[in-house]
Amino acid sequence: MAQVYDCIIVGCGPAGLSAALNLKIRNKSFIILGTKDCSQWLAKAERVDNYLGFPAISGSELRDRFFDHIHQQGIEQMDARVSAIYGGEGTFSLMAGRDTYQSRTVIVATGVHVERLLPGENELLGRGVSYCATCDGPLYKGKKVALIDYTQGEAWDEALFLSELAAKVYYLSATGQNEAKAFTPSTNPKNMEFPLGKVLALKGNESIASLQTDDQEIPIDGVFILRETMKAENLLPGLETRDGAIIVDAHMRTNMPGVFAGGDCTGKPYQLAKAVGQGAIAALSAVSFLDEQQRTPAKGL
Ligand SMILES: Cc1cc2nc3c(=O)[nH]c(=O)nc-3n(C[C@H](O)[C@H](O)[C@H](O)COP(=O)(O)OP(=O)(O)OC[C@H]3O[C@@H](n4cnc5c(N)ncnc54)[C@H](O)[C@@H]3O)c2cc1C
């Protein structure tokens, strides 16, 4: 039986790491699932002047300091991009690649979602457009699917998973150059193709019919779009957002019991100090929630 953690933190930027530190200090079982770089945003900040105690520090140095701190506490982040979260009887299931992780609470610390949607994406969502290969892949047994990878190769494992089910998998990258072909050229599955060209639009009426690149139109039955970040309400259906930001109260509670959020994903200002503070509050609120659950076990979420 898989371990059920007290908490799973999604995102390993300043908010997620701060949440982790506080959960550790409060002796809770947890994991942090994050993408490889752990905050491209922080890494891009050339010089940070407004983070107390660290004048004129670069974002990458600050990130190293954050990592040193959590490693000293014995905390390790796992490279795993979460593609869907489902709530159940007192337990959440988080899908990441081929793996499923379970927890009693979730802290969403995924940063801000800035990627522009493709034309047709919203209209065809759930009608051939999916964000989770593990969840929806089995629907496309023997069919033709495309995977659009905006994650610089982190979605490769999901493409391999699809190739075990689908008749054909078109793997396309954000740049249109399809660097992925070079990952494992000798072992690429035979039913995988690597079209060049940027994806411009998704087409279809009742359901998806094709994908348009600047080079060609490819007929497909389904498409999986994998990005660094995704809209919070697509990650966790039912999560309330306003203008793309997760709605939280002063305790970083969302509208879903057991789900907390912190950092840029809760809206402006997009600032480090706020992210670190909200991550800490989200962790302490998760601890209170867990303690309360222990006193009065939940009947459901
Ligand atoms: C150029 C630049 C300069 C900046 N300068 C400053 C400054 O001087 N001062 C200041 O206060 N702030 C500055 N910022 C803002 C600051 O970097 C952000 O406010 C801060 O990084 C937010 O932290 P966060 O943890 O909320 O989100 P992020 O740092 O964005 O981290 C979120 C993490 O979650 C990961 N993630 C997302 N979705 C998933 C998923 N589904 N599964 C797993 N992982 C996921 C992301 O890949 C990312 O690693 C700057 C930002 C930029 C871009």
Side-chain angles (χ1 to χ4, degrees), residues 174-249:
T175 59
Q177 299 304 311
N178 233 328
E179 310 80 352
K181 196 176 178 182
F183 289 168
T184 51
S186 57
T187 55
N188 285 337
K190 290 197 172 32
N191 62 344
M192 242 189 208
E193 276 190 29
F194 300 85
L196 294 175
K198 276 196 181 181
V199 180
L200 301 182
L202 306 176
K203 295 183 175 175
N205 293 316
E206 291 302 301
S207 58
I208 192 151
S210 65
L211 172 159
Q212 180 71 55
T213 74
D214 49 16
D215 203 39
Q216 59 178 316
E217 186 168 346
I218 305 172
I220 46 170
D221 302 302
V223 60
F224 294 85
I225 305 174
L226 302 184
R227 296 193 171 95
E228 285 280 343
T229 56
M230 55 198 283
K231 283 165 107 182
E233 63 269 33
N234 290 337
L235 186 64
L236 178 44
L239 193 62
E240 274 180 11
T241 60
R242 188 181 302 120
D243 300 328
I246 301 171
I247 299 173
V248 285
D249 66 10

Side-chain angles (χ1 to χ4, degrees), residues 17 33 87 111 289:
L17 297 181
L33 305 178
F289 180 89

Side-chain angles (χ1 to χ4, degrees), residues 29 51 58 77-78 96 112 120 151 173 175 181 189 220 252:
S29 66
Y51 195 73
S58 72
Q77 167 262 341
M78 292 165 68
V112 71
T151 71
S173 76
T175 59
K181 196 176 178 182
I220 46 170
M252 301 299 119

Side-chain angles (χ1 to χ4, degrees), residues 36-298:
K36 245 182 228 136
D37 289 343
C38 278
S39 188
Q40 288 183 347
W41 268 47
L42 185 52
K44 277 182 193 158
E46 250 172 64
R47 178 186 156 119
V48 176
D49 278 317
N50 64 341
Y51 195 73
L52 192 64
F54 295 91
I57 192 167
S58 72
S60 55
E61 192 185 340
L62 195 53
R63 186 175 62 171
D64 290 346
R65 298 248 188 166
F66 288 163
F67 272 122
D68 285 349
H69 193 167
I70 67 152
H71 292 159
Q72 274 171 26
Q73 292 283 334
I75 302 167
E76 293 293 338
Q77 167 262 341
M78 292 165 68
D79 285 348
R81 199 187 136 278
V82 177
S83 49
I85 305 173
Y86 300 109
E89 294 286 304
T91 311
F92 295 93
S93 296
L94 290 85
M95 321 292 287
R98 298 179 193 224
D99 300 315
T100 303
Y101 301 92
Q102 293 194 312
S103 63
R104 295 179 187 89
T105 61
V106 174
I107 295 177
V108 182
T110 48
V112 71
H113 172 83
V114 285
E115 279 128 326
R116 243 187 276 144
L117 298 187
L118 290 164
E121 180 174 337
N122 233 354
E123 296 78 353
L124 294 166
L125 187 58
R127 293 189 285 133
V129 174
S130 169
Y131 299 115
C132 179
T134 328
C135 319
D136 297 332
L139 300 173
Y140 297 95
K141 231 177 183 167
K143 300 195 171 171
K144 279 193 239 169
V145 298
L147 184 145
I148 311 174
D149 185 358
Y150 293 103
T151 71
Q152 297 170 352
E154 285 192 32
W156 180 242
D157 195 44
E158 285 169 75
L160 291 178
F161 171 69
L162 286 175
S163 75
E164 290 165 19
L165 301 166
K168 169 84 78 187
V169 179
Y170 298 100
Y171 185 100
L172 297 112
S173 76
T175 59
Q177 299 304 311
N178 233 328
E179 310 80 352
K181 196 176 178 182
F183 289 168
T184 51
S186 57
T187 55
N188 285 337
K190 290 197 172 32
N191 62 344
M192 242 189 208
E193 276 190 29
F194 300 85
L196 294 175
K198 276 196 181 181
V199 180
L200 301 182
L202 306 176
K203 295 183 175 175
N205 293 316
E206 291 302 301
S207 58
I208 192 151
S210 65
L211 172 159
Q212 180 71 55
T213 74
D214 49 16
D215 203 39
Q216 59 178 316
E217 186 168 346
I218 305 172
I220 46 170
D221 302 302
V223 60
F224 294 85
I225 305 174
L226 302 184
R227 296 193 171 95
E228 285 280 343
T229 56
M230 55 198 283
K231 283 165 107 182
E233 63 269 33
N234 290 337
L235 186 64
L236 178 44
L239 193 62
E240 274 180 11
T241 60
R242 188 181 302 120
D243 300 328
I246 301 171
I247 299 173
V248 285
D249 66 10
H251 301 278
M252 301 299 119
R253 292 181 291 220
T254 68
N255 65 308
M256 301 178 82
V259 180
F260 306 85
D264 285 2
C265 63
T266 67
K268 290 180 181 168
Y270 301 142
Q271 296 271 279
L272 281 158
K274 179 209 150 207
V276 168
Q278 286 194 340
I281 297 171
L284 298 180
S285 297
V287 170
S288 301
F289 180 89
L290 289 161
D291 292 348
E292 183 63 29
Q293 293 279 92
Q294 246 184 351
R295 281 193 289 273
T296 52

